[in-house]
Amino acid sequence: MLRAAIIGYGGMGKWHHEALRTQVPEIEVTGAYDVRPEANEEALANGLKAYGTAQEVFGDDEIDLVIIATPNDSHKDYILSGLRSGKHVVCEKPVVLSSADLQEIMAEAERSPGLFTIHQNRRWDKDFRIVKAILDEDAIGKPYFIESRVNGSSVFLHGWRDYKINGGGMLYDWGVHLIDQALQLIPERVTSVTAHLFNVHSKEVDDNVKLLLSFAGGTSMLLEVATNCFIPAPRWHVSGRDGTAVIYNWQCEGKIVQLADKNALKWESDIVYTAAGPTRTMAPRPVNTTVEKPLPHILDARGREYHRWSSADIYYHNLLEAIRGEAELLVKPEEALRVLQVIELAFESAEKGSGIACLI
Ligand code: NAD
């Protein structure tokens, strides 16, 4: 049995508590620390010890694992304190705000007996796993352009997410998830980063993001985070040499459309006349030259339908195995480092107004 304490008992802190309580009997959350007295009262009401300071958590010999779920700017010091006190540390994403800070932490983790990992839970989102299955099964041929979008219309950013000092903004928020997914999907070096960052409503931080990544093998990905989009585009649109896949929404509705015959690339089309003239290239393809297929049906690591807690189950059981030395961590700090390197170039690209060549 591992004993855990949570630092930051807000939205995500409580999520970790509930996830562990319901999915991972091998880890018992026994305490929490938060700067807000109301959050500490909630922790007490939920049967936890409420620590008076973070240092009390790090000094508590009963605690094996510290879970950090505070605003982004406070992660670094907590991670370092956790590692220096010999505990295992799970930190929320974005792990820290710069690659230099993460490298400092990685050096500390090398010296520490504790394991250190980052909560990149969206690697176990069902929509992402379906796209990964499509590529792994070569269902639409070599992908050349992948669009990954989260299009919301909340308009305003909540709480600390709206402030630069807290590491707010959507690139550090949803951007981190989409970049992490992209790097998992295309296991190649990133060769260029082009970003457009918008402050549509926020005074200080990016609230809408468009990011174009090129990979060494020729695939490009468009990542988009919108908080001001009232007509959402599909969550995923994947263009492969032999077909197209689309996932419209979180419910994973979508389809694959492939060429009926991969070798029959040419077909006779009618010319379509629009108000301004004719086009043959953009004429609709006859339906009998394509085949429509359902998206692959995928199951979670336990062979069950993906459910609300699938990621927590997979993530924390992997952590337990890694602590016992039976598995590698599924989320490695060096992977988070690549994500931060892409983010740094995205900020630079947006500021310069041009794409940045790289090898990440
Ligand atoms: P939140 O505002 O709901 O909760 C943050 C909590 O931390 C609050 O209770 C606040 O009082 C407390 N806090 C603030 N500063 C503190 C400090 N210095 N020490 C201790 N407690 C402090 O925010 P949230 O949505 O839970 O986000 C927390 C972290 O989780 C962020 O890093 C965010 O990016 C991440 N997050 C991850 C996911 C995911 O799916 N992985 C989802 C949401 C948020």
Side-chain angles (χ1 to χ4, degrees):
M1 173 69 76
L2 223 63
R3 294 175 133 239
I6 296 172
I7 299 191
Y9 200 65
M12 223 35 211
K14 283 184 281 188
W15 183 93
H16 283 277
H17 186 191
E18 188 61 6
L20 290 167
R21 194 182 67 75
T22 59
Q23 308 299 311
V24 194
E26 305 92 327
I27 301 179
E28 186 191 4
V29 180
T30 58
Y33 165 70
D34 198 291
V35 286
R36 279 184 305 124
E38 316 88 80
N40 288 322
E41 278 162 30
E42 219 177 333
L44 276 175
N46 289 341
L48 300 181
K49 170 177 178 176
Y51 291 90
T53 64
Q55 283 322 310
E56 282 176 36
V57 177
F58 300 121
D60 187 343
D61 291 338
E62 300 277 293
I63 296 297
D64 310 294
L65 166 67
V66 177
I67 299 163
I68 299 163
T70 54
N72 303 340
D73 59 308
S74 51
H75 293 176
K76 181 183 174 188
D77 289 347
Y78 285 147
I79 299 169
L80 286 172
S81 300
L83 290 172
R84 283 175 188 147
S85 58
K87 305 200 185 300
H88 306 297
V89 176
V90 166
C91 184
E92 265 305 340
K93 47 53 58 179
V95 54
V96 281
L97 302 178
S98 75
S99 57
D101 281 353
L102 181 52
Q103 279 165 324
E104 193 182 326
I105 288 167
M106 286 164 72
E108 189 64 47
E110 285 287 310
R111 293 188 284 269
S112 164
L115 287 192
F116 163 55
T117 183
I118 301 105
H119 192 232
Q120 289 295 166
N121 50 325
R122 293 206 173 267
R123 290 186 191 181
W124 296 282
D125 250 343
K126 189 178 175 188
D127 54 81
F128 170 69
R129 301 308 302 184
I130 291 174
V131 174
K132 188 142 177 24
I134 289 170
L135 299 194
D136 290 348
E137 291 164 13
D138 198 25
I140 57 169
K142 181 176 162 42
Y144 59 89
F145 196 65
I146 302 176
E147 293 158 66
S148 166
R149 294 186 164 89
V150 284
N151 282 175
S153 55
S154 66
V155 175
F156 298 110
L157 305 188
H158 300 287
W160 58 265
R161 285 177 173 74
D162 207 16
Y163 299 102
K164 204 172 171 55
I165 195 169
N166 295 122
M170 282 297 111
L171 190 53
Y172 276 134
D173 197 75
W174 265 99
V176 169
H177 285 304
L178 299 194
I179 296 167
D180 182 65
Q181 288 181 339
L183 301 188
Q184 292 292 307
L185 214 49
I186 309 294
E188 293 164 7
R189 298 285 201 98
V190 178
T191 53
S192 77
V193 174
T194 308
H196 290 246
L197 303 180
F198 302 86
N199 299 57
V200 181
H201 290 279
S202 176
K203 290 196 178 66
E204 298 190 3
V205 295
D206 56 281
D207 51 16
N208 287 265
V209 176
K210 314 250 185 218
L211 186 61
L212 188 62
L213 304 183
S214 309
F215 289 87
T219 305
S220 298
M221 281 192 76
L222 174 70
L223 311 181
E224 182 181 288
V225 184
T227 55
N228 201 59
C229 177
F230 303 96
I231 304 178
R235 171 71 185 83
W236 293 91
H237 190 279
V238 187
S239 299
R241 180 190 176 275
D242 306 322
T244 308
V246 66
I247 302 179
Y248 294 109
N249 46 34
W250 299 120
Q251 290 71 41
C252 296
E253 291 162 319
K255 61 186 175 188
I256 293 175
V257 177
Q258 294 168 318
L259 290 172
D261 177 356
K262 281 189 193 179
N263 301 315
L265 289 175
K266 287 204 164 60
W267 46 280
E268 288 306 316
S269 61
D270 290 337
I271 294 176
V272 170
Y273 292 92
T274 72
T279 174
R280 194 194 296 268
T281 312
M282 294 302 156
R285 171 177 275 279
V287 280
N288 63 356
T289 67
T290 58
V291 184
E292 188 173 314
K293 292 184 174 172
L295 296 170
H297 183 220
I298 57 157
L299 299 171
D300 74 10
R302 296 200 188 278
R304 298 183 303 199
E305 294 295 333
Y306 272 85
H307 57 93
R308 188 177 161 195
W309 300 110
S310 288
S311 80
D313 181 9
I314 297 166
Y315 182 82
Y316 275 111
H317 281 104
N318 165 256
L319 176 65
L320 286 167
E321 284 176 19
I323 288 171
R324 290 195 301 265
E326 294 166 5
E328 278 191 12
L329 282 170
L330 286 172
V331 182
K332 301 174 185 59
E334 54 270 29
E335 294 168 344
L337 186 64
R338 285 184 77 210
V339 173
L340 285 176
Q341 287 165 341
V342 169
I343 285 185
E344 285 167 351
L345 288 191
F347 280 123
E348 188 184 332
S349 161
E351 198 172 316
K352 288 184 173 158
S354 63
I356 314 263
C358 58
L359 208 53
I360 294 174

